[in-house]
Amino acid sequence: MYTLRNRLLIGLGFGILVMLVVAFWSDWTALEKILSRFDWRVFPLALACTLFNYVLRFLKWHYYVRRVGARDLPAADSARLFVAGFPLAVTPGKAGEAVKALWLSEWGGVPFARGLPVVLAERFSDGLAVLALAALGIFSMPALWPAFLVTLIVCLGVVAVSQIRPLALAVLRRLERLPVVGSKILPLREFYEAGYLLLQPRPLIFAAGLGTVSWLGEGVGFFLILIGLGLPAAGATLVSAIFALSVSTLIGSASALPGGLGAAEASLSALLLLTVTADHAVAGAATLLIRLATLWFAVALGLIVWILTPKLWKRAEAGPAAAPLISSLEGMPADE
């Protein structure tokens, strides 16, 4: 937990640094003027859109949790674990999110190896949802088509391979015969079985569909922020907002940086300059405001849950046997 706290502090420090860089890139004086003219009445509405996203994503999380066997976990406790995981997104490599599987083991009685796929499948379905929303603006930017198609093919390939059950079981049986590895196959089998259940067509379509609606909520919230900055309340602005936020979220996830920090802000500001405004200060202000209304809002909610539920730390400390698996997730890409 000492290491996890350090990683969280590193992520928070890096986040402050990124915000300062965006502010100076935007020209601090011009940014101050833009923010002084911002219609702050729309900011609570943007936060409400973010909450809408979190509520629907929680429904997906709880559906996944029940699907892997934690049927006795109360919805209130499930929501507590879900929100408490938000700050872990800003840990380097986002490896801290594996702690959610430890909590799931302690609170829901699901083995760590069976709970970890819930964390991964949750992020994977979010990726599919954001990819679907990004498609809204792909037609206007042909240069992004190759990256879009490659990402889509990789995602579909992961799903296809996970569902070739005879192949996976044959590989597991062969590994069981090996002298050293054989005795440790049970957790791997648990991991595969849970992943297989979560990536089946019906639950995957449900999760991706729910995710598309939930992430659309954040896109609308970003649209409201752009309106508050003086941009026209037009359909083109709405599409650009959803597109820019979706693509920057994907880029932030692919970077494996804590919370996508740096990569998400840079790509979002660049896309705003390409699609909705030529003013660096407006693009910078929009970037800072939406990150406050999404990533940092989530981190604040999660930290409140941590404060109100001190035993979360003890739950995480109780799982040292999972440390090697957590370390192996250092490069796991995920969204905030």
Side-chain angles (χ1 to χ4, degrees):
M1 287 306 302
Y2 177 77
T3 302
L4 182 58
R5 291 190 196 101
N6 284 345
R7 288 176 174 178
L8 184 56
L9 290 174
I10 289 172
L12 294 175
F14 187 43
I16 294 173
L17 177 62
V18 168
M19 293 181 73
L20 288 174
V21 169
V22 173
F24 282 109
W25 170 81
S26 305
D27 184 334
W28 188 274
T29 303
L31 180 64
E32 187 177 8
K33 291 180 180 178
I34 291 294
L35 291 177
S36 67
R37 296 198 300 265
F38 178 64
D39 186 356
W40 287 99
R41 292 174 298 177
V42 305
F43 196 72
L45 297 177
L47 293 179
C49 290
T50 300
L51 283 175
F52 171 78
N53 177 24
Y54 295 158
V55 169
L56 293 190
R57 284 171 57 192
F58 161 69
L59 294 178
K60 178 179 64 173
W61 157 267
H62 195 55
Y63 168 73
Y64 274 164
V65 164
R66 291 176 61 83
R67 190 165 177 81
V68 298
R71 296 186 176 276
D72 295 329
L73 180 66
D77 286 340
S78 181
R80 191 190 307 269
L81 301 185
F82 174 72
V83 177
F86 288 165
L88 302 176
V90 298
T91 56
K94 305 188 184 174
E97 288 199 304
V99 173
K100 291 167 68 175
L102 292 177
W103 291 335
L104 196 53
S105 174
E106 292 291 325
W107 293 56
V110 176
F112 177 83
R114 194 170 183 84
L116 187 57
V118 173
V119 179
L120 299 177
E122 181 195 7
R123 289 305 190 181
F124 184 75
S125 60
D126 280 344
L128 289 177
V130 174
L131 191 64
L133 292 174
L136 287 174
I138 289 293
F139 297 101
S140 61
M141 300 188 71
L144 294 178
W145 264 110
F148 176 82
L149 291 176
V150 168
T151 305
L152 180 61
I153 290 170
V154 170
C155 290
L156 295 177
V158 169
V159 175
V161 171
S162 72
Q163 297 303 299
I164 305 177
R165 189 173 176 81
L167 175 62
L169 294 179
V171 171
L172 290 172
R173 283 194 296 268
R174 185 173 293 274
L175 290 175
E176 284 176 346
R177 301 191 189 102
L178 299 178
V180 178
V181 182
S183 60
K184 302 178 181 179
I185 288 301
L186 182 59
L188 186 58
R189 184 181 288 274
E190 287 273 12
F191 180 89
Y192 169 73
E193 292 292 351
Y196 173 77
L197 283 174
L198 298 178
L199 293 182
Q200 285 182 325
R202 186 174 178 179
L204 182 59
I205 291 172
F206 169 75
L210 193 63
T212 301
V213 177
S214 68
W215 284 97
L216 179 62
E218 282 200 0
V220 173
F222 190 33
F223 170 62
L224 294 174
I225 286 175
L226 293 179
I227 293 175
L229 287 169
L231 293 170
T237 306
L238 175 60
V239 171
S240 295
I242 296 171
F243 167 69
L245 188 61
S246 300
V247 173
S248 64
T249 298
L250 288 172
I251 293 174
S253 296
S255 71
L257 291 167
L261 291 168
E265 285 83 359
S267 56
L268 181 56
S269 297
L271 287 168
L272 288 175
L273 290 174
L274 288 172
T275 58
V276 296
T277 180
D279 191 326
H280 280 63
V282 172
T287 298
L288 292 175
L289 288 169
I290 191 58
R291 292 296 268 174
L292 285 174
T294 53
L295 175 64
W296 297 113
F297 180 47
V299 170
L301 291 177
L303 290 178
I304 290 172
V305 171
W306 281 81
I307 293 170
L308 296 177
T309 318
K311 64 181 180 179
L312 283 168
W313 293 95
K314 296 179 181 179
R315 296 295 188 184
E317 288 170 348
L325 283 172
I326 294 177
S327 297
S328 71
L329 290 177
E330 288 291 345
M332 182 182 73
D335 200 324
E336 94 273 4

